[in-house]
Structures are given as structure tokens and as C-alpha cells.
Amino acid sequence: MVRFGRDEELSEILTVVSEILRGGVVRCPETAVEERLLSRALDLLGCRNPPCEGKSREYTLEELGFFEEISPPRLRVFNSTEELLFRNWPTPLVRLSSFSGKGVRVWAKLEFFNPFSMSVKDRVGWLMVSDLLSRNPRRGVVLYEATSTNTGMALAAMAAIKGLKAKLFLPATIQKASDTILKVMGAEVYRQPKSITVEFIDEVEELARKEGGVHLNQFENNANLKVHLRYTAKELDLQTREASLRLQGFMGGVGTSGHLSAISVYFKNRYGDHIKVYGVQPAAGSTIPGIRRVESGMKWINYAKVDRIVDVTLEEAIEHAIRVARREGIFVGLSSGAVTAAYMRLVGEDLLEEGDYVLIFPDHGFKYLEFFSSYLEGEGVH
Ligand code: PLP
């Protein structure tokens, strides 16, 4: 099942990324190999290459533009819907006071403020397509992807903006409304009678190859890790500093493992291992849209430290999404409910240090109405 073997090149680049984040400075490379690795590492981090005009000196991250990409316009006026996505970052970080208590304060990063899929996946769809077009600016290209809706919406939006086509492959386990949403957004939609597994992804790969399309592959495309290192993690750094948080840890769901791995690499290197990172997966036998069990195979978590993986059932995820709505007034998706359930479990086990914790809420609740309605009508959930 697990096919994500060690990618030696990524591993070397992440070693350099870690050194840069730990030291907070960039040193000039001495050999061509070092230069290539440094340049790849700086690309992942969103920094300019140091000028290094013959001198050996250190450059601070700020000198190389580390935070410059995150610069939203003050009054939120944008020249295009693409700008509405990437120039509107950071997504909000909000304190959930009804879930805070006993010296522990909890905050949520609201990824449903992204405009295309109302989810964290806009980031990934945007960078995968932007990277593709920067390498190969072909119009008329067809994008292929296996998706549980969110990446599909992001890709359909990017396809619309860039004049491309998207063919999306959805697992059986996803709500019916997804087909309509994705078709409205202009994508071709194919339902497969199974869940997203490695075999499913391989079939999409094979089809794209046969039909001359491009399989972007959010599960292995390093643009996924990159967008979360360059933006999501950096935004959280700026936001937690601005709010003077006593940061103790993060909690996030794992699907491709992109966002949680990037947050772990960033914060553990920049601030130390005392910042805890908790991953959330569906309990054995449960299916929660957007997240998967780690053993089903995911790439970047193999390069990141995760302190604990917490199992959550679909029922717990739904109950906690409802709890968030009823206590805080925000209608979040099932993986956000799962993350909240995991946080409450750790609170219950008295495991959390005094200070601030950040939950990543990947999306909005509107896509999961079928799950909520069966739950509320007492039909049980599948
Ligand atoms: N939650 C939802 C709703 C998602 O759509 C996804 C990813 O598709 C995740 C969580 C997991 O995020 P990641 O793929 O970064 O692990």
C-alpha cells in the first residue's frame, strides 16, 4: 500500500531548509552542488537567492524577502480572482474562547476564507497549476486529479482562470453534491466506486498518460509542501507573533499530509521541538472526507516530526463540527470537527501545557450537508 519511498533529493533540500530555519540566516554556497541545493531550499521557503558578490557573509531571512510575499492590500481590492486568492493571505486566525480554559487558549486558522473551494486546497491547486504553467505555458492542457472535492474545486477554478480543462475523479464515499458543484465550475467529473487509495491515484496517472493530459497529483507534487511552507506556516508565524501567543502546539488533519508536515518542519526548526504537532486521522473503520489514515501512505509526513497521531471517528467529527457551530457560530467541515475532537481528547487527558494551541480548520461545512442531515435525523452516519 505504501509507495512513498524516500526521495533523496527532497530529503537533502529539506536538510538545508531545516538549517536555514534553525539559524535564521543564509550562508553563501561554496560549491555548485551547495548552490543548487540552496537555491531549491530558498524556493521552498519563498526567499531570494543571496547576492554573494564574492564575499562570504551571512544574510538574514528578512534581507532575502522572507515575509515579503505576504502583503494583503489594506482595503481588500484585487485585480483578479487569482489575486483574490494569494494576495488575500493570511487567512484569519481566531480565538475560540468557548473551547479555551484552565490556562489553555485555543485558536483556529480558518481556511474556508479561501475563495475557490472555501478550503485549504486552494493553496495547493493554485501552486500546482502556477508551477506547471511556469514550466510549460501550454493553453488547452487537460488537468487530471483524484480528489475528495476541495482540490477539484481549486483546480476547476484555476482551469477556468487559465483557460485549461479539468478532469476530476471522485471516490464513492463523497457527498453527491460534489458532482454538481464541480460541474457548475466547468470540470468533467468521474465517480469511481471506491475510496482514494494508492491504486486509485495510479489509475488516474495512467489515464492522464494515455490521454495526453497532466496528472498534477497533490499526493506527491512538492508544490503541495511548498505552498504551505511559503505561505501557511509563515502566515501562522506572523500571526502568532502579532498576537503574542505563548505557542505550545498545532493540530491538523492529514490527507496528503501537506499542511501539517510543512507546519511541523517550519515551527520545530524555527522555534524548537517543544512546539508540539498533533496529527488527526480517521479511527480504523471510519471514513472522514479529506483525511486518511497515515498507514494508507502519504509523502511529506515522512520528513516531518509529528508528536502524536490522534484517531477520531466520523461521529465524533460530526458532533464536534456541530459543537463549534453552536458555541462559536461558525459552520466548519468534518475534518475541522475531527481536529476539534482531537483537541478535546487531549484536554480531557490533561496533556496540554498552559499556553496557546492552534487548530487548522481546513474547510467549511456546506459540502457535508448530507452527513449533517443524516446525523441530525438520527439515521446514523456511514
Ligand atoms: N481536510 C479537508 C477537508 C481536506 O480536503 C484535506 C485535504 O484534501 C485535508 C483536511 C487534509 O489536508 P492535507 O492534504 O494537507 O493533509
Side-chain angles (χ1 to χ4, degrees):
M1 198 65 165
V2 181
R3 78 153 169 206
F4 304 109
R6 195 117 189 112
D7 173 342
E8 280 312 326
E9 189 180 30
L10 178 63
S11 180
E12 280 179 331
I13 296 167
L14 285 177
T15 304
V16 179
V17 162
S18 301
E19 280 163 12
I20 294 173
L21 287 169
R22 273 200 297 271
V25 291
V26 176
R27 285 180 198 85
C28 292
E30 285 174 10
T31 64
V33 174
E34 275 180 22
E35 189 174 335
R36 196 180 54 83
L37 277 178
L38 178 65
S39 161
R40 300 284 302 273
L42 291 175
D43 180 48
L44 273 192
L45 285 170
C47 282
R48 291 185 288 275
N49 284 308
C52 291
E53 293 132 353
K55 315 172 269 202
S56 60
R57 83 151 171 104
E58 288 179 345
Y59 295 83
T60 64
L61 291 176
E62 282 74 7
E63 277 180 282
L64 302 177
F66 191 60
F67 289 117
E68 284 173 13
E69 284 179 318
I70 300 168
S71 59
R74 192 175 56 90
L75 292 180
R76 299 297 192 272
V77 177
F78 302 95
N79 283 317
S80 67
T81 49
E82 186 180 357
E83 268 201 5
L84 169 67
L85 173 72
F86 70 88
R87 289 219 52 217
N88 202 26
W89 291 332
T91 52
L93 182 70
V94 61
R95 183 168 163 198
L96 303 181
S97 29
S98 74
F99 288 87
S100 304
K102 279 211 254 162
V104 173
R105 288 181 304 177
V106 66
W107 303 74
K109 186 158 177 70
L110 303 182
E111 288 297 299
F112 62 77
F113 273 73
N114 285 306
F116 302 143
S117 61
M118 280 132 272
S119 90
V120 68
K121 288 296 169 169
D122 278 12
R123 298 174 183 270
V124 179
W126 171 70
L127 197 61
M128 288 198 303
V129 173
S130 304
D131 272 6
L132 172 75
L133 294 181
S134 69
R135 287 193 312 272
N136 176 10
R138 255 194 309 148
R139 279 184 86 78
V141 77
V142 184
L143 311 175
Y144 284 64
E145 192 71 11
T147 168
S148 54
T149 308
N150 285 333
T151 305
M153 289 176 75
L155 292 180
M158 285 302 289
I161 292 167
K162 302 289 182 190
L164 312 173
K165 275 187 155 186
K167 281 195 183 183
L168 305 171
F169 299 82
L170 265 63
T173 44
I174 296 301
Q175 60 287 341
K176 297 191 203 81
S178 293
D179 301 57
T180 312
I181 296 172
L182 293 168
K183 285 179 191 166
V184 167
M185 295 185 78
E188 279 180 32
V189 181
Y190 302 89
R191 274 274 170 172
Q192 306 298 90
K194 45 186 139 179
S195 54
I196 296 185
T197 57
V198 170
E199 291 73 32
F200 187 129
I201 300 163
D202 283 344
E203 282 165 27
V204 175
E205 171 90 24
E206 178 59 21
L207 201 65
R209 207 181 44 74
K210 258 204 238 150
E211 297 181 356
V214 176
H215 179 212
L216 289 168
N217 194 358
Q218 59 173 322
F219 299 91
E220 293 187 274
N221 188 326
N222 287 331
N224 185 338
L225 183 76
K226 176 162 129 184
V227 81
H228 293 304
L229 270 175
R230 262 173 102 139
Y231 296 95
T232 321
K234 225 186 265 182
E235 289 168 32
L236 281 162
D237 191 2
L238 288 171
Q239 290 174 310
T240 53
R241 282 205 253 161
E242 177 163 298
S244 307
L245 301 197
R246 215 170 112 209
L247 193 56
Q248 296 288 4
F250 292 93
M251 258 164 241
V254 286
T256 64
S257 77
H259 75 268
L260 196 74
S261 303
I263 287 170
S264 172
V265 166
Y266 187 101
F267 280 90
K268 283 184 176 280
N269 284 300
R270 201 154 155 83
Y271 296 110
D273 273 340
H274 67 280
I275 308 275
K276 300 288 182 224
V277 174
Y278 300 99
V280 182
Q281 66 177 6
S286 251
T287 304
I288 301 176
I291 59 175
R292 299 186 296 138
R293 289 187 65 74
V294 172
E295 78 244 18
S296 67
M298 43 191 75
K299 183 172 181 180
W300 302 286
I301 204 163
N302 300 313
Y303 304 88
K305 290 188 207 152
V306 176
D307 294 279
R308 178 169 159 187
I309 297 284
V310 183
D311 280 12
V312 170
T313 65
L314 175 61
E315 235 119 0
E316 289 173 308
I318 295 177
E319 278 162 13
H320 283 81
I322 293 174
R323 202 167 277 178
V324 170
R326 291 184 183 174
R327 289 203 205 161
E328 296 284 346
I330 49 174
F331 185 28
V332 299
L334 301 185
S335 62
S336 309
V339 171
T340 311
Y343 163 76
M344 294 304 281
R345 173 101 44 86
L346 299 188
V347 169
E349 290 176 11
D350 217 8
L351 276 181
L352 302 183
E353 302 281 333
E354 284 196 2
D356 294 279
Y357 288 83
V358 175
L359 315 183
I360 311 299
F361 280 0
D363 74 351
H364 194 271
F366 79 92
K367 281 165 232 155
Y368 310 103
L369 291 180
E370 292 160 33
F371 289 87
F372 288 115
S373 90
S374 331
Y375 180 83
L376 294 175
E377 284 160 22
E379 290 170 24
V381 283
H382 313 285

